[in-house]
Amino acid sequence: MLPGLPPLAPFRPRLLQDLRGYTRQKFALDAGAGITVGIVALPLAMAFAIASGLKPEAGLWTAIIAGFLISALGGTSVQIGGPAGAFIVIVYGIIERYGLANLLISTVSAGVLLFLLGWLRLGTLVRYVPVSVVIGFTNGIAVLIGLSQLRDVMGLQVDKMPADFFSQIGTLSSAIGSFNPYAFGLAMVCVLGLFLWPRLWAVDSQFRRQLDSVQGISALKATSRVPAPVVALVSLTLLAWALRLPVDTIGSRFGGIPQSLPVFQWPAFSWETAKLLVVPTLTIALLGAIESLLCARVADQLSDAPKHDPNQELMAQGLANAVVPFFGGMPATGTIARTVTNIRAGAVSPIAGIVHAATLAGVVLLAAPLAMHIPLAVLAGVLLFVAWNMGEWREFARLKQFSNHYRLMMVSTFVMTIVFDLTVALELGLVLAFVLFVRRQSHLFSADIDSHTETSVEARLFGALFFGAVAKLDPLQRLADTAPPGLVMRLDARQLISLDTTGLDALEQLHRSLSKRQGRLVLHGLNAQPRSLLERSGFSKHIHLEDPAPV
């Protein structure tokens, strides 16, 4: 560790803490939750990979390997990691522009960066991203996910979808003549089923109350525990297979899923291409950090488990993303839907996440041949439902309750995400957040002149004197430039809470102008931070500092 730097974060997975006093009862809860969330993750993992331009097994092995590593090494007790909908747009764009090999390199590099962020205790920096920016690009991603699924929802004969918004619209419009009503029907029934299934079995639903009054149908009641995506996947796959519906399936497009363990692969690497991947790498790392820590905060609110360790979580996310590309995987992060499912199913420790990974591995190794019959329209319907739930659409209706700054950041990030890409949207959102923050903070600073005579000027400073607010000192600077000989400018700095080097330079300008006319600058009642900067710069030796009178 270098002198003056904070200590590096210790590598302490939450699993080690949760295993102390671990009991059979806790394992029973974790096993049940892990199996449940593993079944839920099965269709989602395949759907996310296909929507990202990859083969379905890429999503499955990401969910298995990354899910295991994130649970075993992470800083939360109940978070589930794996492929996420938020990555679909950025992954598809990277593959379209740079190719699969460079996606793997970007993911590994992003994993290293995530690990360093956690190791250097920078996990809390992710919280500096404004919520308006997060909502804007989340809603934008949801729109793009929905748009990308229209090809399979409508069964259009399109060999490859482009990555940008307007090209996608043009491609879909030109292929509308190949509309497949069977695919569209499967997708719509899937979406409707995903919407109705949990409401059908809700405790206060009319159907549930009537069913509870009937005896001898406990087997039917037990189906209420089956997750909606699994019901849709199994039932609609059987329907399409039994009726021999003319729709695209995993088998017809990808040839099925290999019934074997993934093979270690070293991606083709060159420094020439690596130089082009800086922006994609930063985007994957930033998006992964934001998604995982937001998910961890949601888990903290819903679970009684100890609060998450953001630095340990980022280190685990980094290791998972650095490892999984060598087995043909895609970027991974914390997933809110699966984490909430895990918590509601009774999970109490990271063992549930490990069981989830083992469940997926077992299903892949034992039942992979059956996956070839899954209609792509059904997976597209699942993703349409995911995209709808992913977006925070009510925030648009609430915009009138917030400031113009908030509206500008959210709407511009949303539009830029759709029209351009996530990278540009994040950059614009963060730049806007910075500019608007500086503008707002500059309005909070003031330099009020209380009195002005031939021999003295009395003024008060309020707020933070920083680079965005130094223009507020211009009236004082004009007085100093035209001051009569011997003028004393006394600034009451008791309400000056912060000072940066640009503000210090503005005070030095006042001092120089007054000194040229045999005047002097007096600062009264400096607080700790401004006084420290003046002393470290040596400026305090050239002016008169007054301490406030004791109360």
Side-chain angles (χ1 to χ4, degrees):
M1 183 179 66
L2 296 175
L5 292 179
L8 300 175
F11 192 81
R12 294 175 183 169
R14 180 61 57 83
L15 177 63
L16 300 179
Q17 175 183 328
D18 287 346
L19 285 179
R20 298 170 189 165
Y22 197 69
T23 63
R24 291 183 179 179
Q25 290 77 11
K26 290 183 177 180
F27 177 74
L29 291 171
D30 284 335
I35 293 172
T36 300
V37 77
I39 295 173
V40 171
L42 180 67
L44 294 177
M46 291 189 292
F48 290 149
I50 293 171
S52 301
L54 300 168
K55 293 183 177 180
E57 58 264 29
L60 290 172
W61 288 116
T62 300
I64 294 168
I65 298 172
F68 171 82
L69 292 174
I70 290 171
S71 293
L73 305 177
T76 67
S77 296
V78 293
Q79 178 161 286
I80 300 296
F87 280 126
I88 290 176
V89 178
I90 186 64
V91 170
Y92 193 92
I94 292 174
I95 294 175
E96 181 78 9
R97 296 176 187 174
Y98 305 105
L100 178 58
N102 289 322
L103 167 67
L104 303 182
I105 294 172
S106 288
T107 306
V108 172
S109 304
V112 173
L113 182 57
L114 282 169
F115 183 86
L116 291 175
L117 286 175
W119 194 39
L120 297 173
R121 295 181 179 270
L122 299 177
T124 55
L125 291 181
V126 177
R127 297 180 181 177
Y128 294 162
V129 179
V131 66
S132 55
V133 174
V134 174
I135 292 174
F137 76 69
T138 300
N139 288 357
I141 289 172
V143 171
L144 291 176
I145 292 174
L147 179 65
S148 69
Q149 296 312 296
L150 292 183
R151 173 183 67 167
D152 291 328
V153 165
M154 296 188 291
L156 303 182
Q157 297 303 308
V158 177
D159 292 334
K160 189 173 183 180
M161 287 287 290
D164 63 283
F165 175 74
F166 293 109
S167 296
Q168 285 184 353
I169 296 235
T171 300
L172 292 172
S173 300
S174 62
I176 197 67
S178 60
F179 175 76
N180 186 331
Y182 299 103
F184 184 76
L186 285 175
M188 292 301 99
V189 170
C190 177
V191 172
L192 183 63
L194 293 174
F195 178 80
L196 292 178
W197 184 259
R199 290 162 177 80
L200 190 68
W201 292 103
V203 177
D204 58 346
S205 72
Q206 184 67 25
F207 175 78
R208 184 64 178 265
R209 286 197 295 266
Q210 291 180 357
L211 199 63
D212 289 340
S213 63
V214 180
Q215 302 297 325
I217 54 172
S218 57
L220 181 59
K221 294 179 182 179
T223 60
S224 65
R225 301 178 183 177
V226 182
V230 177
V231 175
L233 189 71
V234 173
S235 61
L236 294 177
T237 298
L238 288 174
L239 177 66
W241 175 78
L243 298 180
R244 301 187 181 278
L245 298 180
V247 295
D248 287 338
T249 64
I250 288 180
S252 65
R253 184 175 296 179
F254 302 103
I257 297 174
Q259 193 176 8
S260 61
L261 295 173
V263 179
F264 182 90
Q265 300 175 351
W266 188 266
F269 176 81
S270 72
W271 282 111
E272 293 302 320
T273 56
K275 294 176 183 177
L276 304 174
L277 302 176
V278 174
V279 173
T281 296
L282 292 176
T283 304
I284 292 174
L286 180 59
L287 186 57
I290 291 173
E291 285 288 313
S292 63
L293 296 185
L294 283 177
C295 180
R297 292 175 67 180
V298 171
D300 288 345
Q301 297 170 1
L302 298 178
S303 171
D304 295 330
K307 302 298 182 183
H308 74 281
D309 178 351
N311 297 313
Q312 181 62 42
E313 186 61 28
L314 287 186
M315 286 191 283
Q317 298 283 344
L319 289 173
N321 280 283
V323 169
V324 76
F326 292 106
F327 297 93
M330 58 188 292
T333 186
T335 58
I336 294 179
R338 276 159 278 174
T339 297
V340 172
T341 301
N342 191 42
I343 294 171
R344 290 176 177 170
V348 295
S349 81
I351 294 295
I354 295 174
V355 172
H356 137 267
T359 301
L360 275 172
V363 171
V364 171
L365 293 177
L366 297 177
L370 299 177
M372 66 182 299
H373 301 293
I374 297 175
L376 295 179
V378 174
L379 292 179
V382 171
L383 279 188
L384 278 183
F385 190 73
V386 168
W388 174 257
N389 287 330
M390 180 181 176
E392 299 186 46
W393 313 112
R394 294 180 181 176
E395 293 300 316
F396 287 114
R398 297 177 59 217
L399 278 177
K400 59 184 179 182
Q401 302 175 12
F402 298 101
S403 66
N404 290 331
H405 291 180
Y406 182 96
R407 298 172 193 166
L408 178 60
M409 284 192 292
M410 178 178 159
V411 174
S412 61
T413 305
F414 173 73
V415 172
M416 295 297 286
T417 300
I418 295 175
V419 175
F420 291 96
D421 59 37
L422 183 62
T423 304
V424 175
L426 280 175
E427 291 171 351
L428 175 68
L430 292 176
V431 169
L432 272 178
F434 170 76
V435 171
L436 295 176
F437 174 80
V438 169
R439 184 172 181 269
R440 175 172 292 179
Q441 293 302 311
S442 67
H443 289 168
L444 299 178
F445 175 80
S446 65
D448 299 332
I449 299 175
D450 291 334
S451 64
H452 175 207
T453 66
E454 290 294 323
T455 59
S456 69
V457 173
E458 299 280 343
R460 291 173 294 159
L461 305 181
F462 295 89
L465 180 53
F466 70 114
F467 64 90
V470 291
K472 297 290 187 69
L473 292 183
D474 286 350
L476 292 175
Q477 184 63 50
R478 286 193 291 269
L479 289 176
D481 291 338
T482 59
L487 179 73
V488 176
M489 183 174 288
R490 187 172 182 272
L491 304 181
D492 185 344
R494 288 175 296 179
Q495 301 299 321
L496 181 66
I497 59 175
S498 178
L499 178 70
D500 74 350
T501 52
T502 306
L504 173 63
D505 180 71
L507 294 178
E508 290 175 340
Q509 291 279 6
L510 282 176
H511 168 69
R512 285 194 290 269
S513 297
L514 291 169
S515 296
K516 290 178 182 179
R517 293 167 174 76
Q518 295 77 48
R520 61 177 179 147
L521 180 65
V522 178
L523 292 178
H524 171 71
L526 275 175
N527 290 305
Q529 190 275 333
R531 180 182 290 272
S532 173
L533 180 57
L534 263 63
E535 291 175 348
R536 285 184 284 114
S537 67
F539 183 51
S540 60
K541 299 177 182 179
H542 304 290
I543 61 173
H544 183 67
L545 299 180
E546 290 182 352
D547 291 326
V551 179

